Amino acid sequence: MRKLGMIGGMSWVSTGIYYDRINRIVQRRAAPMASAPLLIESLDFCELYALREEREWKRAGEILSESAKRLEGAGAQALIINANSMHKLYDDIAANVGIPILHIADCVGKALKDAGCKTAAILGTRNVMTESFYRKRLVAHGVDLLPPNMTNVDIMDSIIYDELMVGKVTRDAERKMKTIITNKSQEGAQAVVLACTELDLIVDVDANVLPVFDSTRIHCQAAANWILDEGSAE
């Protein structure tokens, strides 16, 4: 098996989900006693929380790039970034290392394409829902995306930052997500992308009015494929 580096801590909740899921896949497909060879650096999310200004993103890029270099230096043969929103910095981070990074949106885009999905809606943090860095990766796989509803953007930010990223799961958040997904179905979406690594805590991926593509599950599957040398990082 190949050794994978994980840039985590954004939040610690999702990093735990990544560790658990990747290992369960590897154990199931390799051997009963197998565990994934992983290098994990869990960053302090206080330094990377709710970034707005360009100078803040620049500093975040430096923090993640240094983390990537440390993981490469420690023996990682490829990397994943355990946060959808931080893929805004993907190009900067990739330029600082000599190993591949599995881009979460490319993994999601391929999954949508393989499923024959032509129209989808993205649910995640503000920058993921409204900026081009994530959306253009899905469009490149032939997927049309519904425009973001700004009311939903505000609701999503509140749920993600105030609740999920501190490990809080509520029935109210579950109800709000179900309503949003139902509305997206009525607006013409063929599927919904959970483009936040904690959202499956409040969304039943297997029981919804629309097919739900969970970025975390898809990214973990791609990571396990790479570890088992059954997939490639581009």
Side-chain angles (χ1 to χ4, degrees):
M1 293 190 287
R2 297 185 288 187
K3 185 174 292 185
L4 181 70
M6 294 178 16
I7 304 176
M10 305 168 290
S11 64
W12 67 263
V13 176
S14 69
T15 303
I17 294 171
Y18 267 86
Y19 183 80
D20 180 80
R21 287 199 175 145
I22 291 172
N23 272 290
R24 287 183 185 278
I25 295 168
V26 167
Q27 182 183 45
R28 185 170 65 248
R29 288 167 49 187
M33 298 300 291
S35 54
L38 297 169
L39 292 171
I40 305 171
E41 180 157 40
S42 186
L43 301 175
D44 180 3
F45 195 48
C46 283
E47 298 181 348
L48 302 165
Y49 165 73
L51 306 177
R52 293 286 186 268
E53 297 180 17
E54 187 61 34
R55 61 182 177 82
E56 294 174 328
W57 279 106
K58 184 175 184 297
R59 175 58 180 152
E62 293 169 354
I63 292 171
L64 268 71
S65 293
E66 289 302 314
S67 177
K69 287 191 284 188
R70 285 191 293 271
L71 288 167
E72 181 181 27
Q77 297 167 272
L79 298 171
I80 56 173
I81 304 165
N82 296 6
N84 285 270
S85 60
M86 288 300 161
H87 280 73
K88 177 174 180 172
L89 304 168
Y90 177 89
D91 291 339
D92 294 336
I93 300 165
N96 280 281
V97 293
I99 55 177
I101 305 175
L102 284 68
H103 197 297
I104 194 169
D106 283 339
C107 297
V108 172
K110 183 179 185 302
L112 288 164
K113 182 179 180 180
D114 290 348
C117 179
K118 298 295 185 182
T119 306
I122 299 177
L123 299 177
T125 57
R126 183 176 302 274
N127 73 324
V128 170
M129 291 178 71
T130 63
E131 297 181 25
S132 65
F133 73 92
Y134 198 98
R135 300 175 70 88
K136 69 182 180 182
R137 296 267 180 170
L138 301 188
V139 171
H141 287 273
V143 182
D144 291 329
L145 298 173
L146 268 60
N149 177 305
M150 296 313 294
T151 299
N152 289 346
V153 170
D154 291 337
I155 292 170
M156 297 300 303
D157 259 13
S158 177
I159 290 173
I160 292 166
Y161 287 116
D162 297 340
E163 298 182 21
L164 298 181
M165 287 190 174
V166 294
K168 182 179 179 183
V169 175
T170 67
R171 290 290 296 167
D172 182 60
E174 292 173 354
R175 285 191 292 268
K176 286 177 179 176
M177 288 299 299
K178 200 165 192 66
T179 298
I180 289 172
I181 292 172
T182 299
N183 289 341
K184 291 303 176 186
S185 173
Q186 295 168 352
E187 292 168 15
Q190 296 176 337
V192 167
V193 175
L194 299 186
C196 168
T197 50
E198 294 89 358
L199 278 178
D200 78 337
L201 294 171
I202 55 170
V203 175
D204 188 339
V205 174
D206 301 315
N208 244 291
V209 67
L210 285 175
V212 176
F213 289 77
D214 176 15
S215 62
T216 308
R217 292 190 184 191
I218 293 168
H219 208 198
C220 288
Q221 184 68 60
N225 288 347
W226 184 87
I227 289 168
L228 295 166
D229 202 8
E230 297 174 2
S232 62
E234 299 178 359

